[in-house]
Amino acid sequence: MGCATLGDICCGIPCCEQLFNVMKLDAGFIDRTETLFGKERFARFVKALEEEPVVSIRHNTFKQCGCAGSVAVPWAADGYYLEQRPVFTADPLFHAGCYYVQEASSMFLEQVLKQYIDTPVRMLDLCAAPGGKSTHAISQLPQGSLFVANEPMPLRAGVLAENVIKWGCPSTVVTRNEPADFAPFKDFFDIILVDAPCSGEGMFRKDARAVSMWSPGNVKTCVARQRTILSDIWGSLRPGGLLVYSTCTFNSHEDEEMVAWVRDELGAEVLPVAVSPEWGITGNLTGGNFPVYRFLPGFTRGEGFFLALLRKDGDGEVAQPRPTRSRPTPLPKACNAACSWLNTPEKYAFTVENDTIVAVPREHQTAIAALQSRLKVLHSGVAVAAVKNGHRFKIHPGKAAP
């Protein structure tokens, strides 16, 4: 469907006409969204799209760097809004992983983890690049948890690995795989986050490409892809485990209707997340009798975001798969001194992988070896040192495997 003329704008609101001229919003998007939101909510939403995008950061609790923000994000303990967008790439603290530039709306994941996770878990972020939600979850999970961040696309996976490495937590693994590749890991995870590829309507204010790429056909394609992704990964979630489903789009086909599909077709219970009325979060817009959480410009301070929490039917423990091939090369005796660079080396198992001395927490050694034996692993644990000629070593630069 092509773009509308001004006479076709359905709401007739002056600010909507001005926004149409600037953004060239598709008539189909305008019609669908106004119908879903209602005229009053849609008018407030349209007015907000004329404003500048919100800038926010989240501090890294693993590092004490002294960076600060101006106004706190109410649903994230370490999130802050900035009054203006600085040149982040010129800031050494940014490159050191002292903070992450993340949309405030997506920091709502913290509330799910705080309210439902109080013991160590295995968690998978299936569509994780560039790493905002991954690094956030890593900071929020109880000590002793294992976190796996996955991204299928090679370039994006490399960015994800670098961001996870900079964050500085050893109980992490970064993989580059399709959702179906996790099939051997039946009942392996306690919690899975699927931040699904979507039509990106929530990014219209900050990304002109999202506006130009929108079409009813693309929404339909996204729905089919989301169902495939969810079906492919469902077996890897243990019975009783939690699925966090999120998008950065507004339409009900990818949001409420997708949650209902998971509930009805895959077998899940939709769970509530406690929120404060002051946060301005919008609920279910389709009349459904299950809770969802919508972040709409004009109502919440941030970009568009949708989240729902579901629990898989049943009850069970995570599975303990064994590696299918031999473990990495043992550490050469000449390089044992590198182990002493860690404060508590007794807590780690050391191996050599691709001429790199790697330390992984002993409590996760078997699980990480199983992941390495079946998946494309870009990073795990802590890269301690780069080995030269089998007997010399130097501090590792912190780059992920190709």
Side-chain angles (χ1 to χ4, degrees):
M1 182 181 294
C3 292
T5 64
L6 289 179
D8 296 325
I9 300 279
C10 51
C11 63
I13 302 169
C15 64
C16 186
E17 296 182 1
Q18 179 181 352
L19 180 66
F20 175 84
N21 283 331
V22 174
M23 283 193 170
K24 300 186 184 302
L25 292 175
D26 189 284
F29 170 79
I30 294 172
D31 182 60
R32 289 183 178 202
T33 309
E34 185 188 27
T35 299
L36 178 65
F37 286 10
K39 288 185 178 294
E40 184 177 346
R41 182 182 287 114
F42 183 71
R44 186 169 168 181
F45 161 75
V46 163
K47 185 176 181 180
L49 289 188
E50 295 180 289
E51 301 170 358
E52 288 296 317
V54 175
V55 181
S56 49
I57 63 171
R58 180 175 40 77
H59 293 175
N60 186 348
T61 55
F62 294 118
K63 301 180 179 182
Q64 301 298 324
C65 300
C67 51
S70 53
V71 179
V73 175
W75 47 83
D78 301 298
Y80 292 89
Y81 296 104
L82 303 183
E83 295 180 358
Q84 57 186 1
R85 188 179 188 90
V87 182
F88 290 112
T89 54
D91 185 2
L93 296 180
F94 171 77
H95 294 287
C98 293
Y99 63 89
Y100 194 96
V101 185
Q102 182 181 0
E103 293 293 344
S105 301
S106 67
M107 296 182 197
F108 184 65
L109 174 64
E110 178 174 319
Q111 295 301 316
V112 173
L113 300 179
K114 281 185 173 180
Q115 295 177 35
Y116 282 91
I117 305 298
D118 56 9
T119 58
V121 293
R122 287 187 198 151
M123 180 172 177
L124 168 66
D125 185 353
L126 185 65
C127 314
K133 297 180 189 65
S134 285
T135 54
H136 196 183
I138 290 167
S139 294
Q140 292 298 317
L141 291 178
Q143 187 173 1
S145 297
L146 175 65
F147 189 88
V148 180
N150 177 73
E151 171 57 46
M153 300 179 66
L155 292 179
R156 289 171 57 84
V159 173
L160 171 65
E162 290 190 16
N163 284 329
V164 169
I165 290 169
K166 286 193 300 185
W167 209 244
C169 178
S171 299
T172 55
V173 179
V174 179
T175 59
R176 193 188 78 205
N177 289 89
E178 294 294 333
D181 295 336
F182 286 87
F185 294 91
K186 182 175 174 57
D187 302 340
F188 188 81
F189 295 100
D190 297 284
I191 178 169
I192 297 177
L193 166 62
V194 178
D195 186 43
C198 66
S199 55
E201 297 164 355
M203 295 293 104
F204 279 5
R205 184 162 62 174
K206 64 178 296 184
D207 188 351
R209 293 173 300 176
V211 178
S212 62
M213 293 177 64
W214 190 92
S215 71
N218 187 39
V219 171
K220 186 176 181 180
T221 298
C222 289
V223 168
R225 186 180 183 188
Q226 289 156 3
R227 289 187 178 185
T228 299
I229 289 171
L230 291 163
S231 298
D232 286 345
I233 203 61
W234 192 245
S236 297
L237 182 65
R238 70 165 175 84
L242 299 177
L243 174 78
V244 181
Y245 176 77
S246 64
T247 72
C248 59
T249 203
F250 300 124
N251 69 80
S252 61
H253 307 299
E254 300 175 72
D255 291 347
E256 285 95 342
E257 291 174 31
M258 189 60 61
V259 174
W261 182 85
V262 175
R263 180 195 61 186
D264 299 338
E265 298 298 324
L266 300 182
E269 175 189 6
V270 187
L271 300 177
V273 181
V275 300
S276 171
E278 289 76 19
W279 297 350
I281 298 173
T282 303
N284 196 316
L285 292 179
T286 64
N289 59 351
F290 53 87
V292 301
Y293 305 90
R294 286 177 169 273
F295 290 70
L296 307 181
F299 294 85
T300 49
R301 191 178 178 190
E303 303 311 307
F305 184 65
F306 172 93
L307 182 144
L309 176 65
L310 302 100
R311 180 163 52 205
K312 188 174 183 179
D313 286 347
D315 188 22
E317 301 294 328
V318 292
Q320 304 293 340
R322 309 296 298 184
T324 60
R325 58 176 182 258
S326 61
R327 293 181 181 179
T329 307
L331 186 68
K333 292 182 179 179
C335 298
N336 283 338
C339 304
S340 65
W341 295 347
L342 277 68
N343 290 332
T344 54
E346 68 278 2
K347 295 183 179 181
Y348 297 89
F350 295 86
T351 58
V352 175
E353 302 172 13
N354 300 318
D355 294 327
T356 299
I357 299 175
V358 175
V360 298
R362 290 189 181 277
E363 60 186 324
H364 300 308
Q365 185 178 8
T366 300
I368 290 175
L371 293 165
Q372 290 172 327
S373 68
R374 295 175 174 88
L375 300 175
K376 176 64 175 177
V377 173
L378 303 186
H379 160 76
S380 61
V382 175
V384 179
V387 180
K388 298 296 182 182
N389 301 322
H391 62 277
R392 296 173 55 245
F393 56 89
K394 64 180 181 178
I395 294 176
H396 197 270
K399 297 293 185 180

